[in-house]
Amino acid sequence: MTASIGAANPRERSIVLLLAFVQFANIVDFVMVMPLGPDLARALAMPPSQLGYVGGVYMLAAAIAGIIAARFLDRFDRRSALVMALVGLAIGTASGALAFDFWSLLAARFLAGAFGGPATAICMAIIADVVPFERRGRAMATLMGGFSFASILGVPTGLWLARVGGWHAPFLGVAALVVGSAIIARTMLPSLTAHLATSRASIATNALLRRPGVAMSFALAAVQSFTIFLIIPNLSAYFQGNRGYERANLESLYLIGGLLNVVFIAASGKLVDRLGALPVAIVGNVMLLAALLLGMTGPAPALPVLLTFILFMCSGGPRMVPMTTATSQVPAPHERGQFMSALSSAQNLAAAAAAMLSAVILGTSAVVGEIAVAPASAQVEPLLHVDWLIAIAVGLTLATPAMIWSVVKAGRARRAEPALPSDPSGI
């Protein structure tokens, strides 16, 4: 039976909203650390140019955990798997408050990433299980709204807590938030076991990877993550050190960028359902190119910090919603758990590699002739070789539209196949 096009039923809508809150808690744990980078660098005596390693080790752990989880994720109730991942994430996040140097912070972030990555994959698998493809763009946009609300509420709150209560406070606060999301998921999310009816038909992950549509989905996810995470771990240090942006204004910067990003993510979901993935993705790529080329290139970029940050943030919805929607139709229902887990691993491996590469490339000594000396208002040493990162990011951004088109074609071919009798989505 083909899923009908129309409004989501109350059960579907409540599950999507609940997962959006869970994802919000998960994402706050991840994104709060990067704006706190200069604060952590001062407290733990580490150079700002090494902040990429802090984000990279989280994503490396998420990737490793995702590869392991891909082998058994489809064998369990989705609700139970999600709650276990959130409990582990809370423990890992709280341990960050106990860090006493660079290496202990890396260990704490590795532990958090080992549970945060699978939690994201499980949320995406539930969306693909519960929401028919015809409404999945909007559902994925709602789930991704967690990123925006993390910027609107989580990041400014974390920055404020660090300013008034010390750098330990955000870790403890977010750990409490994750515990709350685990309790809500356990009590309000229904048991989700429909996929177990076909779990025995699940194929080996290596066989799954050999399918062209699957391989291209993973390549697309990896390229998009690599592109963004060359830049994200260093944004706060770049704005403060290279552009002289005041630390006290970071909270409002993330608040404004996050609020506008909510609008773009919601619009992206509706437009993907109406126009398809490719046109929306092209718009997002153009926005990202404008932020990189006009706002972060050279010693005197053309765009002010606020507009650069808005373009960078708001490009995320038109880039990521088409990608997640297109890739979600590639696997069969009984493959979604391991597919989403492996896809998350590909994203996290690429993001970890990009973040660590940025730490290798960047330096923090203001050399005249290579980069402008730090503005008088700068609170952090300026980063060197930022243009190198921008050049790599621009090249990868230009390659993604063709990759999205290939994934869309693979998804159409999969949807044209006859549905299994126990396929809950009917596609």
Side-chain angles (χ1 to χ4, degrees):
M1 179 179 177
T2 304
S4 60
I5 302 175
N9 59 54
R11 175 181 178 273
E12 177 185 313
R13 186 162 47 246
S14 64
I15 289 176
V16 171
L17 291 175
L18 191 153
L19 291 176
F21 175 75
V22 170
Q23 188 68 351
F24 164 75
N26 186 5
I27 295 303
V28 168
D29 171 80
F30 173 61
V31 300
M32 72 162 183
V33 175
M34 290 174 286
L36 286 173
D39 294 2
L40 295 173
R42 285 189 290 267
L44 301 177
M46 51 184 282
S49 61
Q50 302 303 299
L51 295 173
Y53 290 121
V54 178
V57 74
Y58 179 101
M59 292 174 286
L60 178 62
I64 294 171
I67 292 171
I68 296 172
R71 297 305 305 132
F72 56 82
L73 201 59
D74 285 316
R75 303 177 187 176
F76 296 96
D77 183 340
R78 304 275 197 224
R79 180 181 65 183
S80 299
L82 180 59
V83 171
M84 289 180 62
L86 291 173
V87 170
L89 176 62
I91 294 172
T93 302
S95 66
L98 304 177
F100 52 88
D101 63 7
F102 175 64
W103 295 105
S104 58
L105 179 62
L106 288 186
R109 298 312 295 162
F110 186 91
L111 179 61
F115 292 96
T120 297
I122 296 166
C123 287
M124 293 178 67
I126 293 173
I127 291 289
D129 282 348
V130 172
V131 183
F133 175 74
E134 288 78 7
R135 293 192 295 271
R136 204 172 293 161
R138 277 167 283 187
M140 287 294 185
T142 301
L143 184 67
M144 291 182 62
F147 288 91
S148 298
F149 283 107
S151 298
I152 295 170
L153 300 175
V155 172
T157 301
L159 288 166
W160 176 79
L161 283 173
R163 189 154 50 85
V164 300
W167 66 270
H168 307 82
F171 288 97
L172 297 175
V174 173
L177 179 65
V178 175
V179 169
S181 71
I183 294 172
I184 291 174
R186 181 65 183 85
T187 56
M188 298 182 64
L189 191 67
S191 179
L192 297 165
T193 58
H195 62 284
L196 297 177
T198 52
S199 62
R200 292 183 180 179
S202 183
I203 63 173
T205 302
N206 58 353
L208 186 68
L209 291 173
R210 285 197 292 267
R211 288 174 12 204
V214 173
M216 184 56 72
S217 296
F218 289 2
L220 171 63
V223 165
Q224 291 208 154
S225 290
F226 191 95
T227 302
I228 288 299
F229 281 94
L230 282 172
I231 311 300
I232 282 182
N234 308 293
L235 269 180
S236 179
Y238 170 78
F239 288 147
Q240 292 181 67
N242 296 59
R243 304 290 300 271
Y245 200 76
E246 291 291 335
R247 165 65 176 82
N249 295 332
L250 279 181
E251 290 126 55
S252 58
L253 185 69
Y254 278 87
L255 178 62
I256 294 170
L259 282 170
L260 292 174
N261 195 24
V262 169
V263 177
F264 275 81
I265 286 180
S268 298
K270 294 177 182 179
L271 290 173
V272 166
D273 288 339
R274 183 177 302 172
L275 304 176
L278 185 59
V280 180
I282 290 174
V283 171
N285 285 340
V286 170
M287 293 173 64
L288 178 60
L289 288 172
L292 296 175
L293 293 174
L294 300 179
M296 297 183 68
T297 301
L303 298 181
V305 168
L306 178 60
L307 184 54
T308 298
F309 188 73
I310 288 173
L311 280 171
F312 186 88
M313 287 285 289
C314 293
S315 71
R319 293 177 71 252
M320 298 304 294
V321 172
M323 188 272 289
T324 54
T325 304
T327 56
S328 72
Q329 61 182 308
V330 172
H334 61 280
E335 300 167 341
R336 283 175 182 151
Q338 67 172 326
F339 175 88
M340 291 300 183
S341 184
L343 184 76
S344 179
S345 293
Q347 289 177 289
N348 286 316
L349 277 174
M356 293 180 181
L357 177 63
S358 73
V360 171
I361 291 175
L362 294 175
T364 53
S365 177
V367 178
V368 177
E370 196 164 358
I371 192 168
V373 176
S377 58
Q379 302 166 316
V380 179
E381 292 183 47
L383 299 174
L384 294 174
H385 313 313
V386 174
D387 288 356
W388 296 11
L389 299 186
I390 301 303
I392 298 171
V394 167
L396 293 174
T397 299
L398 293 173
T400 56
M403 300 176 74
I404 289 179
W405 175 241
S406 179
V407 171
V408 168
K409 290 198 298 182
R412 287 175 180 167
R414 216 293 298 168
R415 289 172 62 211
E417 297 173 358
L420 295 172
S422 55
D423 181 341
S425 68
I427 61 173

